[in-house]
């Protein structure tokens, strides 16, 4: 389960993770750079049913063009209302068309033009405003559609490797993610039976030198589609609450992928 993997990671898993999966360049650490944070094991109980890794998409429905890929990505990625009551759009609310998030050699996130083999990638940024003694929660949802399974698989592999290369990352100039650890969980490992592969990252997020907040980045792959969700929250939000939020979001997007690609 996603929460099972999150628990293992947050209690001290090695940053070296386990098995490889896709690549992080469909991430987006935070609203202006790219999304940050993890992938992992199974959607939380009580959330939208997750897609099964035995799922075989209808060949005629698998996107082969950027137009079809964009249509699928936009229909899968979560908007503010999908996260729950009270969530609103961040500014910017959506990533620039035809781009995806890339972690450069200096461990800074930036958006670049989609490379050959990536049909589309869409990131949407939302937040739950602070209130009632609780700090703001920032979330990101990402959907990336590849032209081939190999490309999607490589994305998860890269995601896992990037934490080793950059345990400290900068989504934007005033934001920093530190103490990153990652855990890869392919189908069949640790009760992960909802996706072909998954990666979870966890660490600490700070903005403008403020107090450290919990940070999760969850990524999962079904065939040629990679979905991801990041969750960042501080005072008044428990680890379990943030894990549940991210796990549910990932499950919703996986279910949407299956619904849109299954044959009749």
């Amino acid at each position: 389960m996603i929460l099972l993997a999150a628990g293992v990671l947050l209690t001290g898993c090695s940053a070296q993770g386990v098995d490889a999966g896709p690549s992080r360049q469909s991430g987006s650490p935070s609203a202006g750079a790219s999304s940050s944070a993890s992938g992992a094991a199974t959607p939380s109980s009580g959330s939208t049913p997750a897609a099964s890794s035995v799922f075989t998409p209808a060949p005629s429905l698998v996107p082969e063009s950027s137009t079809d890929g964009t249509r699928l990505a936009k229909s899968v990625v979560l908007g503010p209302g999908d996260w729950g009551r009270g969530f609103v759009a961040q500014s910017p609310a959506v990533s620039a068309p035809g781009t995806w998030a890339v972690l450069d050699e200096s461990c800074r996130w930036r958006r670049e033009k989609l490379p050959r083999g990536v049909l589309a990638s869409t990131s949407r940024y939302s937040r739950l405003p602070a209130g009632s003694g609780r700090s703001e929660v920032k979330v990101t949802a990402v959907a990336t559609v590849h032209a081939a399974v190999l490309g999607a698989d490589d994305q998860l592999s890269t995601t896992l490797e990037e934490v080793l290369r950059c345990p400290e990352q900068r989504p934007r100039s005033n934001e920093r993610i530190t103490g990153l650890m990652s855990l890869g969980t392919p189908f069949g490992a640790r009760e992960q039976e909802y996706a072909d592969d998954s990666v979870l990252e966890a660490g600490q997020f700070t903005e403008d030198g403020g107090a450290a907040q919990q940070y999760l980045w969850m990524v999962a792959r079904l065939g040629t589609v990679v979905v991801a969700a990041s969750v960042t929250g501080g005072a008044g939000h428990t680890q379990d609450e943030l894990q549940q939020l991210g796990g549910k979001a990932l499950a919703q997007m996986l279910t949407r992928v299956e619904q849109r690609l299954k044959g009749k």
Side-chain angles (χ1 to χ4, degrees):
M1 302 173 70
I2 286 179
L3 296 184
L4 174 61
V8 171
L9 182 60
L10 295 174
T11 52
C13 170
S14 162
Q16 306 198 4
V18 190
D19 328 277
S23 126
R24 166 74 99 48
Q25 309 197 273
S26 95
S28 160
S30 87
S34 54
S35 138
S36 11
S38 16
T42 316
S44 54
S45 57
S47 67
T48 304
S52 168
S53 65
V54 299
F55 168 70
T56 300
S60 62
L61 298 179
V62 176
E64 296 183 348
S65 67
S66 59
T67 298
D68 291 340
T70 298
R71 184 181 299 112
L72 176 62
K74 288 183 175 180
S75 71
V76 167
V77 73
L78 303 186
D82 298 312
W83 286 91
R85 177 179 296 180
F87 278 87
V88 297
Q90 290 192 49
S91 181
V94 184
S95 59
T99 68
W100 73 344
V102 175
L103 187 65
D104 66 20
E105 293 304 313
S106 61
C107 298
R108 294 175 181 270
W109 284 95
R110 66 174 189 270
R111 297 201 72 85
E112 293 186 353
K113 182 179 179 181
L114 293 175
R116 181 183 299 275
V118 180
L119 301 179
S121 185
T122 299
S123 299
R124 296 192 67 177
Y125 313 108
S126 306
R127 65 186 181 89
L128 180 65
S132 302
R134 293 186 167 198
S135 67
E136 179 181 63
V137 173
K138 289 185 176 183
V139 297
T140 302
V142 187
T144 301
V145 182
H146 293 259
V149 170
L150 184 60
D153 185 63
D154 181 63
Q155 185 186 335
L156 266 73
S157 297
T158 301
T159 300
L160 204 55
E161 294 164 0
E162 284 177 338
V163 169
L164 297 176
R165 178 170 69 87
C166 295
E168 180 175 317
Q169 302 172 6
R170 284 187 175 275
R172 291 191 291 186
S173 60
N174 65 329
E175 299 174 344
R176 177 176 296 181
I177 301 169
T178 59
L180 279 170
M181 298 182 292
S182 66
L183 177 68
T185 310
F187 173 68
R190 303 185 199 89
E191 301 179 34
Q192 199 279 80
E193 298 182 344
Y194 70 92
D196 296 326
D197 207 347
S198 65
V199 175
L200 167 68
E201 293 179 12
Q204 297 291 309
F205 174 89
T206 57
E207 183 176 9
D208 295 321
Q213 301 181 55
Q214 300 176 68
Y215 169 81
L216 292 172
W217 175 235
M218 301 178 174
V219 188
R221 176 179 70 82
L222 267 185
T224 61
V225 183
V226 177
V227 295
S230 75
V231 180
T232 300
H237 302 285
T238 67
Q239 247 180 27
D240 184 63
E241 175 188 350
L242 298 178
Q243 291 171 21
Q244 294 267 1
L245 182 63
K248 180 179 178 180
L250 202 68
Q252 285 181 292
M253 289 190 284
L254 287 170
T255 298
R256 289 182 178 184
V257 172
E258 182 175 350
Q259 289 174 338
R260 287 154 179 74
L261 298 184
K262 67 181 179 181
K264 296 183 178 180

